[in-house]
Amino acid sequence: IALDLDFTLYLPASITITIMAPLSIPPELKKITPYIRRAEELDGDGSRPESRLVAYYCRQFAVSAGIPAANSPDAKACLAAILGDLEKEADAMKAFSTEEAGIICSNFAQDVFKSADDQDRAGTADKKTARSFYAAAIFFEVLEQFGGTDESAKEKRVYSKWKATDILKAMKEGRRPQAGGFGEADG
């Protein structure tokens, strides 16, 4: 069951920030968790106007992926909560055609990927870089709802997942992550 634990912090200079508790996702819907967590992260991102749209499509993708697995009352309630969030944003999203939304989401995924890749290739990869690669992979997956993805996006999705794992493995082993792709340093 999802609990609605919204509250508002009041800060000096009349700044108001609303913080929502993460959605409680039942175990049978575990596969939608990454999409919902990325949407929740984007909800708090005021630096990029497209974040709101990408969050919407992350949730939409999660619902599509979750419907076949929603057999319990908790799972159905979880999906209903996500659908409620989608409904709140539906009017604002009507300003974009499906094609425009797909382009915006694709550009967003490419930007997240490029930022992580640049940091990795500069030799400064860290845990944050791994999280960025993982987020990029999720955003590339979300693009599938727009009628499939091109080969480049599929390759970047696979590379992003591999690179996130490789960076975290290197850090766990106490070594510096190898910059670039598999075997690139070998020449």
Side-chain angles (χ1 to χ4, degrees), residues 17-155:
I17 300 173
T18 301
I19 300 174
M20 296 177 62
L23 179 67
S24 176
I25 300 173
E28 69 192 87
L29 294 179
K30 180 181 177 182
K31 71 178 188 176
I32 73 167
T33 301
Y35 312 107
I36 297 302
R37 295 302 175 242
R38 296 305 74 77
E40 290 170 343
E41 289 169 3
L42 292 173
D43 288 341
D45 181 10
S47 67
R48 298 180 70 168
E50 64 269 36
S51 294
R52 182 175 171 192
L53 182 131
V54 176
Y56 178 87
Y57 282 99
C58 285
R59 285 187 176 92
Q60 186 168 291
F61 189 79
V63 168
S64 295
I67 287 174
N71 298 316
S72 72
D74 284 350
K76 290 175 182 174
C78 177
L79 290 181
I82 299 167
L83 285 169
D85 290 340
L86 289 171
E87 187 62 32
K88 290 176 194 171
E89 294 288 335
D91 286 339
M93 296 303 126
K94 288 178 185 173
F96 303 95
S97 70
T98 303
E99 184 180 348
E100 291 169 330
I103 291 168
I104 292 168
C105 288
S106 178
N107 289 342
F108 190 90
Q110 297 285 352
D111 289 349
V112 172
F113 174 83
K114 183 175 179 348
S115 176
D117 196 48
D118 288 350
Q119 188 174 6
D120 174 55
R121 290 176 188 278
T124 59
D126 56 14
K127 195 172 189 175
K128 184 178 175 190
T129 311
R131 288 179 53 99
S132 293
F133 270 121
Y134 182 68
I138 296 301
F139 298 138
F140 283 123
E141 284 182 51
V142 167
L143 296 177
E144 292 173 11
Q145 71 189 306
F146 296 104
T149 54
D150 64 16
E151 206 52 43
S152 172
K154 289 177 184 176
E155 289 173 6

